[in-house]
Amino acid sequence: MWCSRDTSIPLGSLLHREFPGCGNLITFAQFFFIAIEGFIFEANFGRKRPIIPIRYYLIMVAMFFTVSVVNNYALNLNIAMPLHMIFRSGSLIANMALGIIILKKRYTISKYTSIALVSLGIFTCTFMSAKQVSSMSSASEDEENVSAFLWWLLGILALTFALLMSARMGIFQETLYKRFGKHSKEALFYNHALPIPGFLLLAPDIYRHALLFSQSEPFQVPVIGLTLPIMWFYLIMNIITQYVCIRGVFILTTECTSLTVTLVVTLRKFISLIFSILYFRNPFTAWHWIGTLFVFVGTLMYTEVWNNLGPLLDRKEKKQEEKQE
C-alpha cells in the first residue's frame, strides 16, 4: 500500500490554486525531506545495509516516480482537484482487476458488487465533469475551448494510467513483503531516496516554481516570528503533514491487512474531498455527490465493514446485559 502524493489535500489544493503546475516542486520537497530523515535515522548515514535487495526497490521506485509525476501533470490538464481525488479512489478496482489477472485471485459476489459501485461512482463524476467542459466548449466555437476539452481527455487517460500503474506497484510490493518480511521504515526511505536523481529531469520546472514561491507575499510565522514568503510556509506545512501521513500508512501496512489500510486512506480522501469542496468552493453538482457516495459505499462493501461491525455490536450488547444481570 502506498500513500499517494495528495495526502495533505487542502494544502496541496491551495498551492495548486495559487501556482498551477507546481506539483513537481511539491513532490521533490516531500521526497527530499523524507530521504534526509531516513538517511539519518534509518540508514544510519549509509552504514546500515537494506534487508530487501536494492534492485527490487529500484523497480518499485521507477513505478512510484512515474505515478507521482503523471498524477501531478494530470492537474495541468483541466482536471479539477475533486475529480482527481475521486478518480484515484478507484484504486480498489484496479487492484482487484490486476489481482485477478496477475495473481489469479477469486472474490465473492459482494466484492464484485463493490467494484460495480465504485466504477459507477467514478464514471458518474467523470461524465458530469466532461459535461461541464463540453458545455463550456459549446458556448463558444473557439479553438481554445476545443483544445481545453482535448487536454481534459488526455488528463483522464493520464489518471487511468497512473491508477493501473499504482495497482501494479501495490501487487509488486505485496509479493516483496511476503518474501522478505515487512520493513516499513526501510521501504519508506528507499522509495523516497532513490528517485531523487530523477528530479534532475524536472529541474527547470522545479526551479521556475521555486522562484515564483519566493516572490509571494511575506508571512510572519506565529510564535517563531520568522518572516518568509507565504508559499514557502504553505509548502513546509504540506511537507510535515505529508510526512506524518505517509509514515503512518507505512507503519499501518505492517500492522493491518491491505484492505484495512485502503479503507483508512479512502476515508481520509473522502474527508479531504469534503473539506476541499467547502473551503475552496470547487464546482460540485448533485451528480458528483451521488458519484462520491457510490465510491464511498463501494469501498466500505469491499472491506466488509458491515460484517465486522455486527460481531462488535453483539459483544457490546452481551456486556451490557451481563452488567444489568
Side-chain angles (χ1 to χ4, degrees), residues 34-325:
I34 295 174
I36 292 297
E37 188 273 343
F39 182 73
I40 297 172
F41 297 103
E42 171 59 26
N44 193 17
F45 295 94
R47 289 193 290 265
K48 181 181 176 182
R49 295 178 62 84
I51 298 174
I52 299 177
I54 289 292
R55 64 178 181 275
Y56 293 113
Y57 280 124
L58 288 172
I59 296 173
M60 278 199 296
V61 161
M63 292 188 283
F64 192 27
F65 186 78
T66 302
V67 170
S68 297
V69 172
V70 171
N71 276 322
N72 284 335
Y73 274 115
L75 292 170
N76 299 335
L77 302 173
N78 289 342
I79 300 294
M81 181 62 78
L83 176 60
H84 189 275
M85 294 164 61
I86 294 171
F87 203 97
R88 294 177 66 183
S89 294
S91 56
L92 287 175
I93 312 169
N95 273 286
M96 178 177 280
L98 292 185
I100 293 172
I101 296 171
I102 299 173
L103 302 178
K104 309 298 181 183
K105 289 184 177 180
R106 293 296 178 266
Y107 300 95
T108 61
I109 294 177
S110 64
K111 290 288 195 296
Y112 290 115
T113 303
S114 68
I115 281 184
L117 277 175
V118 176
S119 300
L120 182 60
I122 291 177
F123 173 79
T124 301
C125 293
T126 304
F127 178 77
M128 293 310 297
S129 294
K131 191 175 180 181
Q132 289 177 356
V133 177
S134 297
S135 62
M136 179 187 68
S137 298
S138 61
S140 169
E141 294 182 358
D142 237 59
E143 291 183 1
E144 291 183 0
N145 290 328
V146 176
S147 175
F149 181 72
L150 293 176
W151 281 115
W152 179 86
L153 288 177
L154 184 60
I156 293 297
L157 291 175
L159 286 178
T160 303
F161 170 79
L163 191 65
L164 293 174
M165 178 66 78
S166 179
R168 182 65 184 91
M169 180 173 59
I171 292 175
F172 182 72
Q173 185 181 22
E174 182 180 340
T175 57
L176 284 184
Y177 279 167
K178 287 180 179 178
R179 182 176 175 183
F180 298 100
K182 295 184 177 182
H183 308 282
S184 61
K185 293 182 180 179
E186 177 184 295
L188 180 65
F189 166 62
Y190 284 103
N191 286 330
H192 290 80
L194 293 177
I196 295 296
F199 284 100
L200 290 174
L201 300 173
L202 309 171
D205 180 73
I206 293 173
Y207 179 71
R208 181 169 63 87
H209 282 94
L211 291 179
L212 292 174
F213 274 32
S214 298
Q215 294 169 7
S216 60
E217 62 180 285
F219 173 78
Q220 187 173 26
V221 182
V223 181
I224 303 177
L226 177 68
T227 301
L228 73 165
I230 191 167
M231 295 306 293
W232 283 111
F233 173 75
Y234 289 152
L235 180 60
I236 292 171
M237 292 298 100
N238 177 275
I239 292 171
I240 294 173
T241 54
Q242 165 68 15
Y243 174 75
V244 171
C245 175
I246 198 167
R247 181 69 180 268
V249 169
F250 270 76
I251 293 174
L252 202 60
T253 57
T254 64
E255 303 295 333
C256 307
T257 64
S258 60
L259 290 179
T260 303
V261 178
T262 302
L263 175 62
V264 172
V265 174
T266 303
L267 286 172
R268 184 207 56 76
K269 288 180 180 179
F270 183 75
I271 295 172
S272 296
L273 174 65
I274 300 298
F275 184 89
S276 178
I277 293 166
L278 295 178
Y279 186 82
F280 297 110
R281 299 178 182 178
N282 289 314
F284 214 69
T285 66
W287 284 105
H288 285 90
W289 281 113
I290 293 173
T292 303
L293 182 63
F294 284 155
V295 171
F296 186 62
V297 173
T299 302
L300 292 179
M301 285 184 63
Y302 183 90
T303 51
E304 298 180 348
V305 171
W306 320 119
N307 296 337
N308 295 329
L309 285 177
L312 289 175
L313 293 175
D314 291 339
R315 289 176 187 173
K316 287 184 178 180
E317 289 179 359
K318 288 181 180 180
K319 287 182 178 180
Q320 288 177 354
E321 290 176 358
E322 291 176 357
K323 288 181 180 179
Q324 290 177 356
E325 291 177 357

